[in-house]
């Protein structure tokens, strides 16, 4: 089966050929290049390489006269589609153009195909020539987008070798036929010619993959389905456009020339890597337009600065009207425009300066924390930023620290304050030199030097005022000796009146004297000792004793000073030691002695230790480092208390004898000492109880108190609950259903059973007799409006039957007199017994 292809007409190709003809007429041929290539070239195959720089250096435009070949900037030649070269030579031209220098050159390329013929073998049996079968395979077909027709436009023809023997019908399927977009292609079933019915937009459909079919009249398919690729050739019908209509870049002012500002990018919907999408950028206009500060790379779109003189204080924003054009920037290319805004970032390139060259102010003496002056500065940098915020410094005149200057964060003014009192009698005016800089470091502009700090002078006049006495210095130190006797004079504190420069007319008083060591002379301020000065006193700290003194003038103004009496140490205290130590024989057989000398270090250690001869047979004393000693048993002693006389001498020979009580004990630590009871009773009658013993005694006492308190509450709070009327002892018991006293009480009203079920039991404790409590219990039970009485005395149980002599089976009535004779003696007996116990 054979495939035939028809080349479609193209307006774009005509325009391109016309442009190439113009180039040919205007350009001189540079050189001719011969290349030998295979007869069959696939798409994107490297054909060869041409040295373009020998013909034209830095060409801005490289074109090929044959669209089947693509030329790269390095001179490489690639095919854009599959090519089959015939035996004839194929040639095309490369056109080079330099838009800036208006130069154009042409390079002619001639391609010749290499023949690859294999030797033909002939067999003896081959008596006739055989015709080879043609392949059922197409070559790629293409259509130009936006074609103007006429329609239907012939695209390609497919044929099958089976048509020589059969009647073949052709059909196609795929996108553009029976799929979206429908009815774009159709085929004549008898001839196999494929037609296109309308123009196509490549940006929607880059190619169409169809399948061709060959069938006989009876439906037999002698061929496999044939894939058909119809590529849509691009037409430059889309202008490039900027992705963002408004783009903002920032760049620091005073930056170097060539500083990158930003990069713009544009998009072209035409076919990539073709001349239709080869974009060039250009700045059409700069606003403001003078001087020119920016340039753009035509290929990359990178914007850079061209001068180092960008000054935000003159112009802080620039606008660039940009153009992007395809076809490598050729005039016939499509273009679009956009706006770029460039903002200048502020740099600290303008130093602050004072609005006045000098200032004069005044302040009263002795005033502090008062504002005396405000100074303004001007700065052209961006307000309220570190580039314009001022920092003030006093450079000269503030050696005594009387002044402080700060910045008002709201107004950026320098605020001068007095923080230490000024003295009119010392200086009547002070001249200050004040400088100002910015918070941010100064950024030197191009071709300029760092300016000097702006300074100004401030004259501060001090106003005199009638002031009180001055205590200067505030702390005065005098020397004295440890043990200085009472009644002696010491030089005291002296204050001055600044107006007269003397202390006349001042009166002195003590404000503080912790141990009342001194009295003060009211007129001179001198001190007189009232006690012997003792350096070892608890009121002396670091060998110093402090006295606060106030000086008052005639009108009551005063000042306060401190007099420090420094006491030189005197060796008047021998070394001291603890009077009792414990040796636990279960742990160690010695005790460590650590003396303490209240005197200073120069009158203290090293110490010397001595034992009395009478105790040396049981004890041994070992001196260690001059500060401690070890008292050790010569042999294990009994658990007991021992008295050991020890002499301790300091470095200057001051000695003291101490009788040390040594407790030899069976323990591990001194706090757990367990002495023998006999020894403890004989030697030390006062036994020291341990904490657990004390805790047990306290808990036992608390428990005993709780028991006593409980018994008292039970005895005092117990009351008698009454289950019968209060007048039963004085009145007769009357049946509740009778109006008056009856003569008889029936057994139905009063029943006294042998076993009583108590409803209400009341226990009453009436006292103690002979150390034992007497408890009487009475039980009453209400049965059918009557009562049952059980009286337990001596283990007996009495009822009306037993008193009257009536058996339990007797159901007769009881007379009222029987009931009265039964209850009255018993109630009277209980009442008399209660009164007797209460009296006792």
């Amino acid at each position: 089966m054979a495939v035939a292809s028809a080349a479609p007409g193209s307006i774009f190709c005509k325009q391109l050929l016309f442009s190439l003809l113009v180039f040919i007429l205007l350009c001189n041929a540079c050189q001719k290049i011969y290349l030998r290539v295979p007869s069959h070239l696939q798409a994107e195959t490297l054909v060869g390489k041409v040295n373009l720089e020998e013909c034209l250096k830095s060409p801005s435009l490289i074109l090929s006269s044959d669209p089947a070949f693509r030329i790269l900037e390095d001179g490489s030649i690639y095919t854009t589609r599959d090519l089959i070269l015939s035996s004839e030579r194929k040639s095309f031209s490369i056109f080079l153009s330099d838009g800036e220098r208006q130069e154009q050159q042409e390079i002619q390329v001639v391609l010749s195909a290499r023949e690859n013929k294999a030797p033909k073998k002939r067999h003896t049996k081959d008596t006739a020539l055989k015709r080879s079968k043609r392949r059922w395979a197409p070559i790629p077909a293409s259509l130009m987008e936006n074609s103007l027709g006429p329609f239907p436009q012939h695209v390609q023809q497919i044929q099958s070798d089976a048509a020589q023997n059969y009647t073949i019908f052709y059909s196609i399927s795929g996108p553009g036929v029976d799929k979206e977009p429908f009815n774009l292609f159709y085929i004549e079933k008898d001839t196999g010619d494929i037609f296109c019915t309308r123009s196509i937009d490549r940006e929607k459909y880059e190619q169409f993959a169809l399948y061709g079919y060959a069938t006989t009249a009876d439906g037999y398919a002698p061929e496999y389905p044939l894939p058909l690729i119809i590529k849509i050739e691009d037409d430059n019908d889309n202008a490039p456009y900027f992705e963002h209509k408004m783009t903002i870049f920032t760049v620091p002012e005073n930056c170097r020339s060539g500083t990158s500002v930003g990069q713009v990018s544009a998009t072209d919907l035409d076919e990539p890597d073709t001349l239709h999408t080869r974009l060039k950028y250009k700045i059409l206009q700069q606003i403001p337009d003078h001087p020119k500060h920016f340039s753009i790379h035509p290929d990359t779109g990178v914007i850079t600065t061209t001068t180092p003189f960008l000054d935000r204080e003159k112009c802080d924003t620039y606008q660039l009207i940009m153009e992007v054009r395809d076809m490598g920037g050729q005039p016939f290319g499509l273009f679009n425009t956009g706006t770029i805004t460039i903002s200048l970032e502020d740099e600290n390139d303008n130093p602050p300066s004072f609005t006045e060259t000098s200032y004069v102010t005044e302040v009263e003496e002795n005033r502090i924390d008062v504002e005396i002056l405000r100074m303004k500065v001007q700065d052209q940098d961006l307000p309220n930023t570190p580039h314009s915020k001022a920092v003030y410094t006093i450079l000269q005149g503030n050696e005594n620290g009387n002044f402080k200057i700060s910045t008002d964060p709201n107004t950026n003014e320098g605020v001068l304050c007095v923080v230490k009192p000024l003295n009119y009698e010392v200086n009547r005016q002070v001249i200050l030199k004040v400088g100002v800089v910015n918070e941010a470091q100064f950024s030197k502009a191009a071709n300029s030097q760092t300016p000097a700090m702006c300074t100004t002078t401030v004259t501060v006049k001090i106003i005199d005022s009638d002031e009180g006495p001055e205590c200067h210095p505030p702390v005065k130190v005098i020397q004295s000796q440890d043990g200085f006797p009472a009644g002696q004079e010491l030089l005291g504190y002296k204050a001055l009146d600044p107006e007269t420069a003397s202390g006349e007319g001042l009166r002195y008083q003590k404000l503080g004297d912790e141990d009342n060591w001194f009295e003060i002379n009211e007129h001179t301020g001198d001190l007189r000792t009232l006690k012997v000065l003792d350096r070892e006193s608890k009121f002396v700290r670091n060998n110093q004793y402090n006295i606060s003194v106030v000086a008052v003038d005639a009108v009551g103004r005063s000042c306060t000073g401190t007099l420090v009496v420094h006491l030189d140490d005197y060796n008047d205290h021998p070394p001291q030691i603890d009077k009792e130590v414990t040796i636990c024989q279960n742990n160690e057989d010695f005790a460590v002695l650590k003396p303490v000398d209240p005197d200073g270090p120069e009158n203290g250690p090293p110490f010397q230790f001595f034992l009395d001869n009478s105790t040396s047979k049981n004890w041994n004393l070992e001196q260690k480092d001059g500060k401690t000693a070890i008292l050790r048993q010569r042999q294990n002693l009994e658990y007991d208390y021992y008295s050991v006389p020890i002499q301790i001498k300091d470095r200057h020979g001051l000695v003291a004898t101490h009788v040390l009580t040594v407790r030899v004990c069976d323990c591990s630590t001194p706090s757990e000492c367990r002495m023998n009871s006999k020894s403890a009773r004989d030697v030390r009658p006062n036994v020291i109880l341990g904490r657990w013993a004390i805790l047990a005694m306290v808990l036992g006492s608390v428990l005993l108190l709780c028991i006593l308190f409980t018994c008292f509450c039970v005895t005092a709070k117990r009351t008698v609950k009454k289950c019968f009327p209060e007048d039963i002892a004085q009145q007769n018991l009357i049946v509740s259903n009778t109006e008056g006293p009856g003569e008889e009480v029936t057994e139905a009203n009063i029943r006294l059973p042998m076993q009583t079920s108590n409803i209400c039991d009341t226990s009453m404790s009436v006292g103690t007799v002979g150390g034992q409590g007497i408890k009487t219990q009475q039980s009453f039970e209400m049965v059918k409006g009557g009562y049952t009485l059980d009286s337990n005395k001596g283990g007996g149980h009495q009822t009306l039957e037993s008193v009257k002599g009536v058996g339990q089976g007797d159901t007769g009535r009881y007379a009222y007199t029987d009931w009265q004779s039964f209850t009255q003696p018993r109630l009277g007996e209980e009442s008399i017994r209660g009164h007797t116990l209460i009296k006792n």
Side-chain angles (χ1 to χ4, degrees), residues 11 44 137 201 205 223 263 375 447 643 679 702 782 790:
I11 297 176
E44 299 299 328
D201 187 1
Y205 308 101
E223 304 285 358
Q263 183 179 14
M375 294 171 285
N447 301 324
S643 296
S679 299
V702 172
M782 182 182 292
D790 291 337

Side-chain angles (χ1 to χ4, degrees), residues 35 37 47 69 85 88-92 109-113:
L35 299 175
V37 296
V47 177
F69 299 95
L85 302 180
E88 298 180 357
R89 294 181 178 181
K90 182 177 182 62
S91 64
F92 65 95
V109 180
V110 179
L111 302 179
S112 59

Side-chain angles (χ1 to χ4, degrees), residues 1 133 136 159-163 166-171 211-226:
M1 180 175 182
K133 183 177 181 180
W136 166 253
Q159 289 182 346
S160 174
D161 293 338
Y166 302 98
T167 300
I168 298 299
F169 297 103
Y170 300 96
S171 62
Y211 283 92
Y213 306 94
T215 57
T216 60
D218 56 357
Y220 172 71
E223 304 285 358
Y224 290 105
L226 176 66

